[in-house]
Every structure is written in C-alpha cells, then in structure tokens.
Amino acid sequence: MDGCSRNGEISPKLLHLIPQGRRNWFHDDNTSVYNTEEKKLELKLGPPGEDEDEDGASITRHIKKEPKDKSILSLAGNHFSPSSTTNKTTSQKRTAPGPVVGWPPVRSFRKNLANGSSSKLGNESSSNGGLLKNQKCEDDNGRGKPMEPKRQQGGMFVKINMYGVPIGRKVDLNAHNSYEQLSFTVDKLFRGLLAAQRESSSSGEEEKPITGLLDGNGEYTLTYEDNEGDKMLVGDVPWHMFASSVKRLRVIKSSEISSALTYGNGKQEKMRS
Amino acid sequence: KANQSPLYMTQDRTEMSEDDDDQSPPSDLRSEPPCSSSSSAVDSTPNKSRNCISSSGTMTASQPFPDHVLENVLENVLQFLDSRCDRNSASLVCKSWWKVEALTRSEVFIGNCYALSPARLTQRFKRVRSLVLKGKPRFADFNLMPPDWGANFAPWVSTMAKAYPWLEKVDLKRMFVTDDDLALLAESFPGFKELILVCCEGFGTSGIALVANKCRKLKVLDLIESEVTDDEIDWISCFPEDVTSLESLAFDCVEAPINFKALEGLVGRSPFLRKLRLNRFVSLEELHRLLLGAPQLTCLGTGSFSHDNGAHQSEPEPDYAAAFRACKSVVCLSGFRELMPEYLPAIFPVCANLTSLNFSYANISPDMFKPIIHNCHKLQVFWVCILLDLCLHDSEGPVSELGLQAISEGCRNLESILYFCQRMTNAAVIAMSENCPELTVFRLCIMGRHRPDHVTGKPMDEGFGAIVKNCKKLTRLAVSGLLTDQAFRYMGEYGKLIRTLSVAFAGDSDMALRHVLEGCPRLQKLEIRDSPFGDVALRCGMHRYYNMRFVWMSACSLSKSCCKDVARAMQNLVVEVIGSDDDDDNRDYVETLYMYRSLDGPRKDAPKFVTIL
C-alpha cells in the first residue's frame, strides 16, 4: 500500500500495476509447476508495492498471533468476549468456538475437554492453535491418541481464487493452524489485488481489509472444495479435518453463497482437484 | 408417560432431551385464584378453552357444609395428584380447589425463572418440597448471549430459605449459582435430599463440598454439564464418614482431580448407590476397582476409559469385561472421555440391557460403534458425535449416513437421538424415519452450514419432512443442512406434537416461520439463529406467544420497531432485545430477540446490554 502507485483506471492486466521486480510473486492459474513458485510464495506475502523489508520470513511470521479473545471475535463481528465471563471460570471458559460464534452448537464446556485431551470439535480457536496444544498434551502424558492428525512434512499448497480478481494465489495450509490465520492470510493475499481491480473515484483511497470471510458477515465468504468435489463453507469443522480434505479455496461474494454451494455439489458433478 | 416413573428414568430424560416429561404447560401461577382478580391476559393452558367458572364464588357461599370439611376432603384427595397438568386443571375448578391445590402441591416446576418472581411462588404454594427451575435459553450455551445476562439462583434460594424449611429437592438448569447460594442451601434445609445442577455455572468445588458435608440426608448430587471451578478442595472427603444415603452421584463435568481413595471409600459406604458418573480423572483401572465394589449400579459414567499414565503396564491387565459383566443392572452408559478404542469391547456384556448410550464425549467413528449398536436392541437414547468420517473415508464414500443407517436398523426402539456429522443424505434420514417410529427427539446437526444432500445435491427438505411425517410422537426437533421453506411447510403440516424446535442457517423467507407458527399448536420453545425471518413472520405468531415458554431469534431480519409493536400489543410478554454495550441505540436492527411470557413483568436485574421493550 505504501508507495504503491496506482492509477485510477482498472487495468485488465493486473501485472502492469506490479513493479517489475515483484512479478514473480504471482502464480498464474495455469501453471502447474510448483517447485520454485512454491518457495517464492512461501516467502513473500502481501500486496504489490509493499515495502520489501521483510527478508523472506515465512508466512507464519507475518500472521500476528492475535490475542485469544480478539482475533476470532473481530472476525466474527461479535461484540462479546466470552472469556471475560465470570471470574470463577476463566480457566475453563474458552473463547468463541470457531469462526462462526456458537457453531457447531457444542457447548464450550465440551471443547474445553477437547483442549485438555484429545482433539474434538473446534479447538483451533485457542491461542496456541489446536495442533500445537495437542502436541503438548501428547508430551505431557504420553497417551496414545487413536486419531491424531498427521502433519505433513512439506508445504501443503492449495490454490485460491477470489471473485473479481483474475490472478489466483496459493496458500500453504501447513503454515496455518487455524481458520483465523487462514482468513488473515487471505486478506493479505488479496486485499491489494482487489483494491487494484476496483473502480475507485478517489485515488489514494485506502485499501479495504477483507473481513468477515468466515461468518457470512463480510462482503466475501471463504469456501472450499474438498477431496470429494463438494463445495462448502470454510469454518464449520475442526481445523485438522478441513486441512486434510481441502483441495481448493475460493473467495466468493457472500450474496452468492447458496448458489455457489448447491451448484456442482453431488457425485455426478465431481470436480477434478 | 406417567409422571410416576422412577427417579432414574425421569432424571435421564430430563438431562437427555431437555424437555419436560409431561405435556403440560407451566402452571398458572397467579397469586389470586381464578375469577377473583382483575383479568390477566395470560393463558397458560393451551388447547383448553378457558372456562372461568363465574359461579365459583356463589358455589362455596351456598355450601351447606363448612368449608374446612370440604377442604380436608380435597386435601386428602389432591395430595395424591402428582401430574402437573392435572394439578393445573384442578386449581381452576373453583376457589376451594385452587386453595387446596396450592396447599398440597409439593413439586413445583418453573420452566422460565423470569416468568414469575420468587415471592409469587412462596405466596401461592406453602408446602413445597421440590423445585425445578430453568434459567437461560439454550442458545446461551453456545456463546450467543453475553455473560451476566441473569438467571441468578440467589433470590430464589434466599426466599425459599425462609418459606420452605422442609425443602428436599432443587433441580436447576442454566442458572447462575454461587458458592454462597450453595452455602445458604446447605444450611437452610435440614431435610435436603437432592441437588441437581444442569448446565449451571458460577460455583466451585468449595460450594459442592459444603453441600456434601452439611446435607446429611443427601441422596442425589448430580452435576451435569456444569462449569465447576476447581477450588482445590477435596470435596469427596467432605461427605460424612458413616453410611450415606447416596443414590446418585454425578460429577463427570468437574474438571478437577479427585481423591480416588476417598471416592472408593464413599462408594463402599453407600449401599444405595445406583448412579455414578465419574469425571475424566478416573482411569480405567480405577473404574475397574469401583465396579468390582459396586455391581449394583444402573447408570454409569465411565470416566476417562483410558490408562492411567502411571500404571504399571507389566502387571496382568484387569479383566474389564468381567467387571462389566458383573454389573447386570447397568442400563445407562456414558463417559468415555479419553476413549482408548481397544478397550471398548469391554462394554459388550452390558449392551443388551442398555436403554441409553452416550458417546458424545468419545472420539469414536461409526466403524467403532456399529458393532456395539448392533447389540443394543433395547436402546432408546443415543448420543454420538461423528468427527472422523473423513479419516475413515472408504472407497464408497464418507460414512456419516451409514452410521445413521446402522443406528436406525439396529435400534428400532430409538426414542431420542443427537447426531453430529459433517454431511448427510436424505435417504439415510428417511430410513431413520421409517425404522424408528418411536422417535420423540430427533436432533441432527450437519456441521457444514447450508449443506445439501451430498449425493443428490438437493436440500435436506425431504429427509426432515419424512421425520415429521413418520415419527408421529415427535416432540423435539433440531434441523440443519440446506433447507428451503418446503421443509418448514412439512413441519407445519405434520409436526403437530412438536414442543421444541431448533433452527439454524435455514429457510428462504418469512413463509417458513409462518408455516411453523401457524401449523404447530404445541410449540413451546422456539430457537432460531441466522435465518432469513423477519417482521412479517414475527407478527404471524402473535396468537401463540402467550402459549409458549419463549421465542429466541438471533441474527435474523427483525426490526426493533416491529418488536416494539409486539411488546405493546402483548402486555404480559417480556420482549428482550439483547445486544452489546456499544450498540447504537438508534439502529433498528435487532441482533437477538428473546421473548417470554411473565406474570410479574420485566425483570429488575437486566444488564446494560439488554433492552426490554
């Protein structure tokens, strides 16, 4: 955003807006070569024109570890902070479960148990990140967990496209532990691109952050295609379940949710991932 | 269902289905007898035309016999009347009957703690021994309501401490209870026998210790799904040293280690103990020891169902199956908090007798529970949470619907099911509707919002439609997945017995809610979130709201002006708009509407973020 020169007109070729040296950030949808692209994507984040003072640190560094309460709640557009409840129960009450408040409808009480022992619903919302917490538990008591999700060694990249942006990106899911992190990444990836695409009467208008991706409150909503070819809203199932089944991400307009999800679902219309 | 059902059955139902056992509305708790006061618009007896007997006054005046003889006779008769519904009817006959019924009612049920004040309760009923009191609406469990909303037990316990010295039982659900409240309870009621706290919070193990220690006649101490702070008190050791009267002890929700030796001793000196629900700090080995000492149990919460990390693995492993086999009376099984699946077969010996099985805390997949369900021919209540179907993806596809299919084929007597899954098909739900005609509670949560049938791509209308059509006893329904107005048309057409309805992310238009409000005459509790229902729909229900316990609508399309209109038109309805502190007061959009009938008007303890219209 800083120092990004932008003309007011919409350029059909987005690449023209990007300073020469940065063009290798962008992943062309048609390319299926991942090796060098991956590395570059892994290291660089952010809209074109951003000051390149980051020295190629990984995605996780860019993602703020937001305080437990605020991150999910601000994304969910929710005003309450459940963890500031009764003084007595701070150790047990956790933050809102998952990106959509109160969904799935499982009592936070049950999720607390999940955080303490094996993985259950929606424990990715704790500040440690669900998987990290599980790691810790395993070290502590050495209990075998029958269904411990496997972490892949390398990066796990999935394509992501956004409505209104011709250029697709890729996201390394292994570098994320939670939906909030993913949402943050999506904002970072597309905020500038989206702003560049939009017709803007006043140049110098601030880029609008892309928010509300997970709870239906924003202009855009994050969806995905799983290994079955089904299209679904992101955020409903535990993180590790999502991460193990997602094949592709799409940011759609929130107004198009129903049609986007029903069209193309079903075994007859399996999409090749 | 008879209200005379034994303690065990009643408790299980209340906890599982969150519903009242009988079909009656809450009692008409006006402090004045019928017809003698200025009319109240509250009609708490739906489906019964209100025949207010205007001649009641003259009837007693012209009695040749003295009133007190009649009253004695009535008292002797009415004291045997247990059913709430019958008592409500009896109280409406005439003034005498009203008075005597009030004297002889020993069990009071209050479905919404804000429907009346504690003073009104104690003014009308003088000899109460048992109180069931419910507070917050259910959606509060899912962080849809800010904390400190209310439902405090304090005013109730302080009023009752003076009015009901012979109180024996308190059963609270979603109430805010403090340690002080528990202390007052423990001190004020020398004959206290049963404390049941379901989904409550605000107290800790210190309050529990006080109850354990001071209530010497305690039979039931059930802490169910409540938040209990760990005050680091060995509350198990606070029970009296001699033989106890304990029949039921449930502490599976207590997130604190317990003194196992003390527990073992307690169980050993509690010959009447039938129900024991352990928390996750009790290991499989410890469970084994307890079972050997208490084979008479009928209801068991197994605790962690996994190894103690410190246990010596070299010793021969206890024969867990034998311990279960010895428990010939177990009909209700839950727990499995940290399930080690390799030990699950140990419960096979009790499967044939099980009427209730709760796997909802277990990391379990359909493949794991199918062999168990196959043997549970008597099963009536089943709770499970399917998370793992993706990991168990087989060549035919995900197994959520196969799991539901297996249950419907194996458990023909199923009455109540709560099933979480990621995806579902209409076919499986239809199959369940056909195989399980006894269903009274059907709660299916497809976790993916707006998910259609994953095989056909169609909405889940037909599945839920089949449930309401075929399950003729259905009283409670929770829907999910992609649903159009058609699903609600089915509900309105066939769901004639539905009392509780939960809707989330469903429906297309106001028509959907209209179908339900106009078509479901028994509807008592309606909770809706994130659905496109607005003012038009809200107005369609005005003829019903006095006959309902509450209506909850959050993230719908309601306007404040419409809610104000409803509040104005219905004087005995408390209309709460719940927002947050920094809401713009001028905005017309209603984030959360919670409305309920009340005899005592708007409450005085509403926090800042609640606006009562």
Side-chain angles (χ1 to χ4, degrees), chain B residues 205-233:
Chain B
T205 47
S206 40
I208 298 305
L210 281 169
V211 171
N213 187 254
K214 300 209 169 167
C215 301
R216 299 266 144 170
K217 304 216 171 132
L218 200 64
K219 292 209 269 189
V220 173
L221 178 59
D222 281 354
L223 307 172
I224 297 167
E225 306 249 346
S226 293
E227 299 237 11
V228 184
T229 44
D230 180 7
D231 302 327
E232 293 175 16
I233 284 192

PDB file of all heavy atoms in Angstrom, chain B residues 205-233:
ATOM      1  N   THR B 205     -15.863 -26.134  43.558  1.00  0.00           N
ATOM      2  CA  THR B 205     -15.845 -27.327  44.401  1.00  0.00           C
ATOM      3  C   THR B 205     -16.024 -26.983  45.871  1.00  0.00           C
ATOM      4  O   THR B 205     -16.415 -27.848  46.668  1.00  0.00           O
ATOM      5  CB  THR B 205     -14.529 -28.108  44.198  1.00  0.00           C
ATOM      6  OG1 THR B 205     -13.428 -27.197  44.250  1.00  0.00           O
ATOM      7  CG2 THR B 205     -14.531 -28.816  42.844  1.00  0.00           C
ATOM      8  N   SER B 206     -15.789 -25.725  46.240  1.00  0.00           N
ATOM      9  CA  SER B 206     -15.995 -25.374  47.648  1.00  0.00           C
ATOM     10  C   SER B 206     -17.472 -25.387  47.987  1.00  0.00           C
ATOM     11  O   SER B 206     -17.874 -25.859  49.060  1.00  0.00           O
ATOM     12  CB  SER B 206     -15.371 -24.019  47.981  1.00  0.00           C
ATOM     13  OG  SER B 206     -15.565 -23.099  46.951  1.00  0.00           O
ATOM     14  N   GLY B 207     -18.303 -24.888  47.063  1.00  0.00           N
ATOM     15  CA  GLY B 207     -19.740 -24.948  47.294  1.00  0.00           C
ATOM     16  C   GLY B 207     -20.231 -26.385  47.366  1.00  0.00           C
ATOM     17  O   GLY B 207     -21.070 -26.735  48.211  1.00  0.00           O
ATOM     18  N   ILE B 208     -19.693 -27.211  46.495  1.00  0.00           N
ATOM     19  CA  ILE B 208     -20.081 -28.626  46.476  1.00  0.00           C
ATOM     20  C   ILE B 208     -19.667 -29.303  47.773  1.00  0.00           C
ATOM     21  O   ILE B 208     -20.399 -30.122  48.342  1.00  0.00           O
ATOM     22  CB  ILE B 208     -19.436 -29.323  45.263  1.00  0.00           C
ATOM     23  CG1 ILE B 208     -19.943 -28.694  43.980  1.00  0.00           C
ATOM     24  CG2 ILE B 208     -19.736 -30.816  45.279  1.00  0.00           C
ATOM     25  CD1 ILE B 208     -21.448 -28.677  43.861  1.00  0.00           C
ATOM     26  N   ALA B 209     -18.486 -28.942  48.255  1.00  0.00           N
ATOM     27  CA  ALA B 209     -18.009 -29.542  49.498  1.00  0.00           C
ATOM     28  C   ALA B 209     -18.956 -29.222  50.647  1.00  0.00           C
ATOM     29  O   ALA B 209     -19.237 -30.072  51.501  1.00  0.00           O
ATOM     30  CB  ALA B 209     -16.599 -29.034  49.801  1.00  0.00           C
ATOM     31  N   LEU B 210     -19.465 -28.009  50.652  1.00  0.00           N
ATOM     32  CA  LEU B 210     -20.394 -27.610  51.718  1.00  0.00           C
ATOM     33  C   LEU B 210     -21.664 -28.450  51.678  1.00  0.00           C
ATOM     34  O   LEU B 210     -22.171 -28.908  52.706  1.00  0.00           O
ATOM     35  CB  LEU B 210     -20.762 -26.132  51.574  1.00  0.00           C
ATOM     36  CG  LEU B 210     -19.727 -25.137  52.093  1.00  0.00           C
ATOM     37  CD1 LEU B 210     -20.087 -23.727  51.664  1.00  0.00           C
ATOM     38  CD2 LEU B 210     -19.655 -25.213  53.618  1.00  0.00           C
ATOM     39  N   VAL B 211     -22.165 -28.639  50.481  1.00  0.00           N
ATOM     40  CA  VAL B 211     -23.382 -29.437  50.339  1.00  0.00           C
ATOM     41  C   VAL B 211     -23.112 -30.866  50.784  1.00  0.00           C
ATOM     42  O   VAL B 211     -23.894 -31.469  51.530  1.00  0.00           O
ATOM     43  CB  VAL B 211     -23.888 -29.395  48.883  1.00  0.00           C
ATOM     44  CG1 VAL B 211     -25.017 -30.384  48.668  1.00  0.00           C
ATOM     45  CG2 VAL B 211     -24.334 -27.994  48.509  1.00  0.00           C
ATOM     46  N   ALA B 212     -21.994 -31.408  50.333  1.00  0.00           N
ATOM     47  CA  ALA B 212     -21.659 -32.792  50.676  1.00  0.00           C
ATOM     48  C   ALA B 212     -21.559 -32.964  52.182  1.00  0.00           C
ATOM     49  O   ALA B 212     -21.982 -33.969  52.750  1.00  0.00           O
ATOM     50  CB  ALA B 212     -20.341 -33.194  50.012  1.00  0.00           C
ATOM     51  N   ASN B 213     -21.025 -31.931  52.816  1.00  0.00           N
ATOM     52  CA  ASN B 213     -20.759 -32.054  54.237  1.00  0.00           C
ATOM     53  C   ASN B 213     -21.979 -31.821  55.107  1.00  0.00           C
ATOM     54  O   ASN B 213     -22.173 -32.480  56.131  1.00  0.00           O
ATOM     55  CB  ASN B 213     -19.650 -31.070  54.601  1.00  0.00           C
ATOM     56  CG  ASN B 213     -19.190 -31.238  56.016  1.00  0.00           C
ATOM     57  OD1 ASN B 213     -19.492 -30.422  56.896  1.00  0.00           O
ATOM     58  ND2 ASN B 213     -18.483 -32.323  56.289  1.00  0.00           N
ATOM     59  N   LYS B 214     -22.812 -30.845  54.717  1.00  0.00           N
ATOM     60  CA  LYS B 214     -23.880 -30.430  55.618  1.00  0.00           C
ATOM     61  C   LYS B 214     -25.223 -31.091  55.348  1.00  0.00           C
ATOM     62  O   LYS B 214     -26.075 -31.122  56.237  1.00  0.00           O
ATOM     63  CB  LYS B 214     -24.058 -28.915  55.532  1.00  0.00           C
ATOM     64  CG  LYS B 214     -22.806 -28.169  55.911  1.00  0.00           C
ATOM     65  CD  LYS B 214     -23.119 -26.817  56.498  1.00  0.00           C
ATOM     66  CE  LYS B 214     -21.847 -26.243  57.103  1.00  0.00           C
ATOM     67  NZ  LYS B 214     -21.965 -24.844  57.423  1.00  0.00           N
ATOM     68  N   CYS B 215     -25.415 -31.585  54.144  1.00  0.00           N
ATOM     69  CA  CYS B 215     -26.711 -32.200  53.841  1.00  0.00           C
ATOM     70  C   CYS B 215     -26.617 -33.675  54.147  1.00  0.00           C
ATOM     71  O   CYS B 215     -26.293 -34.501  53.285  1.00  0.00           O
ATOM     72  CB  CYS B 215     -27.075 -31.966  52.372  1.00  0.00           C
ATOM     73  SG  CYS B 215     -27.170 -30.223  51.962  1.00  0.00           S
ATOM     74  N   ARG B 216     -26.929 -33.983  55.369  1.00  0.00           N
ATOM     75  CA  ARG B 216     -26.675 -35.340  55.850  1.00  0.00           C
ATOM     76  C   ARG B 216     -27.623 -36.366  55.272  1.00  0.00           C
ATOM     77  O   ARG B 216     -27.391 -37.557  55.361  1.00  0.00           O
ATOM     78  CB  ARG B 216     -26.808 -35.349  57.373  1.00  0.00           C
ATOM     79  CG  ARG B 216     -25.809 -34.434  58.072  1.00  0.00           C
ATOM     80  CD  ARG B 216     -24.605 -35.194  58.462  1.00  0.00           C
ATOM     81  NE  ARG B 216     -23.378 -34.446  58.340  1.00  0.00           N
ATOM     82  CZ  ARG B 216     -22.209 -34.885  58.816  1.00  0.00           C
ATOM     83  NH1 ARG B 216     -22.144 -36.048  59.433  1.00  0.00           N
ATOM     84  NH2 ARG B 216     -21.119 -34.169  58.631  1.00  0.00           N
ATOM     85  N   LYS B 217     -28.707 -35.883  54.694  1.00  0.00           N
ATOM     86  CA  LYS B 217     -29.654 -36.838  54.138  1.00  0.00           C
ATOM     87  C   LYS B 217     -29.546 -36.890  52.626  1.00  0.00           C
ATOM     88  O   LYS B 217     -30.441 -37.373  51.948  1.00  0.00           O
ATOM     89  CB  LYS B 217     -31.084 -36.423  54.513  1.00  0.00           C
ATOM     90  CG  LYS B 217     -31.304 -36.265  55.986  1.00  0.00           C
ATOM     91  CD  LYS B 217     -32.681 -36.727  56.380  1.00  0.00           C
ATOM     92  CE  LYS B 217     -32.784 -36.761  57.893  1.00  0.00           C
ATOM     93  NZ  LYS B 217     -33.982 -36.103  58.386  1.00  0.00           N
ATOM     94  N   LEU B 218     -28.443 -36.414  52.113  1.00  0.00           N
ATOM     95  CA  LEU B 218     -28.314 -36.279  50.677  1.00  0.00           C
ATOM     96  C   LEU B 218     -28.423 -37.612  49.952  1.00  0.00           C
ATOM     97  O   LEU B 218     -27.709 -38.570  50.253  1.00  0.00           O
ATOM     98  CB  LEU B 218     -26.972 -35.611  50.339  1.00  0.00           C
ATOM     99  CG  LEU B 218     -26.866 -34.979  48.960  1.00  0.00           C
ATOM    100  CD1 LEU B 218     -27.854 -33.826  48.822  1.00  0.00           C
ATOM    101  CD2 LEU B 218     -25.446 -34.489  48.714  1.00  0.00           C
ATOM    102  N   LYS B 219     -29.333 -37.669  48.982  1.00  0.00           N
ATOM    103  CA  LYS B 219     -29.480 -38.872  48.156  1.00  0.00           C
ATOM    104  C   LYS B 219     -28.914 -38.666  46.768  1.00  0.00           C
ATOM    105  O   LYS B 219     -28.432 -39.585  46.120  1.00  0.00           O
ATOM    106  CB  LYS B 219     -30.965 -39.219  47.998  1.00  0.00           C
ATOM    107  CG  LYS B 219     -31.611 -39.687  49.286  1.00  0.00           C
ATOM    108  CD  LYS B 219     -32.756 -40.643  49.013  1.00  0.00           C
ATOM    109  CE  LYS B 219     -34.084 -40.025  48.865  1.00  0.00           C
ATOM    110  NZ  LYS B 219     -35.213 -40.893  48.810  1.00  0.00           N
ATOM    111  N   VAL B 220     -29.050 -37.438  46.283  1.00  0.00           N
ATOM    112  CA  VAL B 220     -28.666 -37.178  44.902  1.00  0.00           C
ATOM    113  C   VAL B 220     -27.803 -35.930  44.831  1.00  0.00           C
ATOM    114  O   VAL B 220     -28.194 -34.861  45.333  1.00  0.00           O
ATOM    115  CB  VAL B 220     -29.923 -36.955  44.016  1.00  0.00           C
ATOM    116  CG1 VAL B 220     -29.517 -36.522  42.621  1.00  0.00           C
ATOM    117  CG2 VAL B 220     -30.766 -38.219  43.956  1.00  0.00           C
ATOM    118  N   LEU B 221     -26.624 -36.086  44.256  1.00  0.00           N
ATOM    119  CA  LEU B 221     -25.788 -34.932  43.955  1.00  0.00           C
ATOM    120  C   LEU B 221     -25.352 -35.091  42.505  1.00  0.00           C
ATOM    121  O   LEU B 221     -24.434 -35.833  42.189  1.00  0.00           O
ATOM    122  CB  LEU B 221     -24.567 -34.870  44.878  1.00  0.00           C
ATOM    123  CG  LEU B 221     -23.600 -33.702  44.612  1.00  0.00           C
ATOM    124  CD1 LEU B 221     -24.301 -32.362  44.754  1.00  0.00           C
ATOM    125  CD2 LEU B 221     -22.401 -33.769  45.560  1.00  0.00           C
ATOM    126  N   ASP B 222     -26.046 -34.403  41.627  1.00  0.00           N
ATOM    127  CA  ASP B 222     -25.783 -34.548  40.198  1.00  0.00           C
ATOM    128  C   ASP B 222     -25.322 -33.233  39.614  1.00  0.00           C
ATOM    129  O   ASP B 222     -26.078 -32.267  39.563  1.00  0.00           O
ATOM    130  CB  ASP B 222     -27.073 -34.987  39.463  1.00  0.00           C
ATOM    131  CG  ASP B 222     -27.339 -36.471  39.625  1.00  0.00           C
ATOM    132  OD1 ASP B 222     -26.491 -37.188  40.199  1.00  0.00           O
ATOM    133  OD2 ASP B 222     -28.413 -36.916  39.174  1.00  0.00           O
ATOM    134  N   LEU B 223     -24.066 -33.221  39.189  1.00  0.00           N
ATOM    135  CA  LEU B 223     -23.517 -32.066  38.494  1.00  0.00           C
ATOM    136  C   LEU B 223     -23.377 -32.472  37.036  1.00  0.00           C
ATOM    137  O   LEU B 223     -22.554 -33.318  36.708  1.00  0.00           O
ATOM    138  CB  LEU B 223     -22.160 -31.692  39.076  1.00  0.00           C
ATOM    139  CG  LEU B 223     -22.159 -31.489  40.589  1.00  0.00           C
ATOM    140  CD1 LEU B 223     -20.749 -31.323  41.113  1.00  0.00           C
ATOM    141  CD2 LEU B 223     -23.010 -30.282  40.960  1.00  0.00           C
ATOM    142  N   ILE B 224     -24.193 -31.867  36.207  1.00  0.00           N
ATOM    143  CA  ILE B 224     -24.265 -32.323  34.823  1.00  0.00           C
ATOM    144  C   ILE B 224     -23.969 -31.164  33.892  1.00  0.00           C
ATOM    145  O   ILE B 224     -24.666 -30.147  33.934  1.00  0.00           O
ATOM    146  CB  ILE B 224     -25.657 -32.918  34.539  1.00  0.00           C
ATOM    147  CG1 ILE B 224     -25.858 -34.143  35.443  1.00  0.00           C
ATOM    148  CG2 ILE B 224     -25.807 -33.299  33.083  1.00  0.00           C
ATOM    149  CD1 ILE B 224     -27.277 -34.630  35.488  1.00  0.00           C
ATOM    150  N   GLU B 225     -22.931 -31.325  33.104  1.00  0.00           N
ATOM    151  CA  GLU B 225     -22.565 -30.327  32.101  1.00  0.00           C
ATOM    152  C   GLU B 225     -22.469 -28.929  32.683  1.00  0.00           C
ATOM    153  O   GLU B 225     -22.806 -27.956  32.016  1.00  0.00           O
ATOM    154  CB  GLU B 225     -23.598 -30.331  30.959  1.00  0.00           C
ATOM    155  CG  GLU B 225     -23.818 -31.684  30.334  1.00  0.00           C
ATOM    156  CD  GLU B 225     -23.287 -31.787  28.920  1.00  0.00           C
ATOM    157  OE1 GLU B 225     -22.990 -30.743  28.318  1.00  0.00           O
ATOM    158  OE2 GLU B 225     -23.141 -32.913  28.429  1.00  0.00           O
ATOM    159  N   SER B 226     -22.046 -28.828  33.901  1.00  0.00           N
ATOM    160  CA  SER B 226     -21.912 -27.528  34.546  1.00  0.00           C
ATOM    161  C   SER B 226     -20.455 -27.111  34.608  1.00  0.00           C
ATOM    162  O   SER B 226     -19.564 -27.948  34.571  1.00  0.00           O
ATOM    163  CB  SER B 226     -22.490 -27.577  35.962  1.00  0.00           C
ATOM    164  OG  SER B 226     -23.880 -27.765  35.922  1.00  0.00           O
ATOM    165  N   GLU B 227     -20.249 -25.820  34.709  1.00  0.00           N
ATOM    166  CA  GLU B 227     -18.889 -25.319  34.864  1.00  0.00           C
ATOM    167  C   GLU B 227     -18.608 -25.189  36.353  1.00  0.00           C
ATOM    168  O   GLU B 227     -19.236 -24.387  37.040  1.00  0.00           O
ATOM    169  CB  GLU B 227     -18.752 -23.939  34.216  1.00  0.00           C
ATOM    170  CG  GLU B 227     -19.036 -23.934  32.744  1.00  0.00           C
ATOM    171  CD  GLU B 227     -17.862 -23.392  31.931  1.00  0.00           C
ATOM    172  OE1 GLU B 227     -16.771 -23.228  32.495  1.00  0.00           O
ATOM    173  OE2 GLU B 227     -18.061 -23.135  30.761  1.00  0.00           O
ATOM    174  N   VAL B 228     -17.682 -25.975  36.821  1.00  0.00           N
ATOM    175  CA  VAL B 228     -17.374 -26.004  38.247  1.00  0.00           C
ATOM    176  C   VAL B 228     -15.928 -25.598  38.419  1.00  0.00           C
ATOM    177  O   VAL B 228     -15.032 -26.282  37.937  1.00  0.00           O
ATOM    178  CB  VAL B 228     -17.587 -27.422  38.823  1.00  0.00           C
ATOM    179  CG1 VAL B 228     -17.372 -27.429  40.319  1.00  0.00           C
ATOM    180  CG2 VAL B 228     -18.963 -27.956  38.452  1.00  0.00           C
ATOM    181  N   THR B 229     -15.690 -24.505  39.083  1.00  0.00           N
ATOM    182  CA  THR B 229     -14.297 -24.080  39.244  1.00  0.00           C
ATOM    183  C   THR B 229     -13.593 -24.997  40.232  1.00  0.00           C
ATOM    184  O   THR B 229     -14.186 -25.493  41.191  1.00  0.00           O
ATOM    185  CB  THR B 229     -14.172 -22.643  39.781  1.00  0.00           C
ATOM    186  OG1 THR B 229     -15.109 -22.468  40.835  1.00  0.00           O
ATOM    187  CG2 THR B 229     -14.406 -21.621  38.720  1.00  0.00           C
ATOM    188  N   ASP B 230     -12.337 -25.190  39.963  1.00  0.00           N
ATOM    189  CA  ASP B 230     -11.525 -26.034  40.817  1.00  0.00           C
ATOM    190  C   ASP B 230     -10.962 -25.181  41.938  1.00  0.00           C
ATOM    191  O   ASP B 230      -9.992 -24.446  41.751  1.00  0.00           O
ATOM    192  CB  ASP B 230     -10.401 -26.652  39.980  1.00  0.00           C
ATOM    193  CG  ASP B 230      -9.507 -27.565  40.808  1.00  0.00           C
ATOM    194  OD1 ASP B 230      -9.834 -27.817  41.987  1.00  0.00           O
ATOM    195  OD2 ASP B 230      -8.478 -28.015  40.274  1.00  0.00           O
ATOM    196  N   ASP B 231     -11.589 -25.266  43.085  1.00  0.00           N
ATOM    197  CA  ASP B 231     -11.090 -24.523  44.240  1.00  0.00           C
ATOM    198  C   ASP B 231     -10.063 -25.327  45.008  1.00  0.00           C
ATOM    199  O   ASP B 231      -9.705 -24.969  46.129  1.00  0.00           O
ATOM    200  CB  ASP B 231     -12.263 -24.150  45.173  1.00  0.00           C
ATOM    201  CG  ASP B 231     -13.330 -23.335  44.462  1.00  0.00           C
ATOM    202  OD1 ASP B 231     -12.964 -22.550  43.562  1.00  0.00           O
ATOM    203  OD2 ASP B 231     -14.518 -23.475  44.798  1.00  0.00           O
ATOM    204  N   GLU B 232      -9.651 -26.432  44.409  1.00  0.00           N
ATOM    205  CA  GLU B 232      -8.641 -27.320  45.011  1.00  0.00           C
ATOM    206  C   GLU B 232      -9.060 -27.805  46.383  1.00  0.00           C
ATOM    207  O   GLU B 232      -8.267 -27.776  47.324  1.00  0.00           O
ATOM    208  CB  GLU B 232      -7.275 -26.626  45.036  1.00  0.00           C
ATOM    209  CG  GLU B 232      -6.764 -26.442  43.615  1.00  0.00           C
ATOM    210  CD  GLU B 232      -5.478 -25.669  43.514  1.00  0.00           C
ATOM    211  OE1 GLU B 232      -4.807 -25.516  44.546  1.00  0.00           O
ATOM    212  OE2 GLU B 232      -5.149 -25.222  42.403  1.00  0.00           O
ATOM    213  N   ILE B 233     -10.273 -28.215  46.450  1.00  0.00           N
ATOM    214  CA  ILE B 233     -10.790 -28.772  47.705  1.00  0.00           C
ATOM    215  C   ILE B 233     -11.129 -30.232  47.461  1.00  0.00           C
ATOM    216  O   ILE B 233     -11.739 -30.579  46.445  1.00  0.00           O
ATOM    217  CB  ILE B 233     -12.056 -27.992  48.124  1.00  0.00           C
ATOM    218  CG1 ILE B 233     -11.654 -26.647  48.688  1.00  0.00           C
ATOM    219  CG2 ILE B 233     -12.873 -28.784  49.128  1.00  0.00           C
ATOM    220  CD1 ILE B 233     -12.764 -25.920  49.375  1.00  0.00           C
TER     221      ILE B 233
END
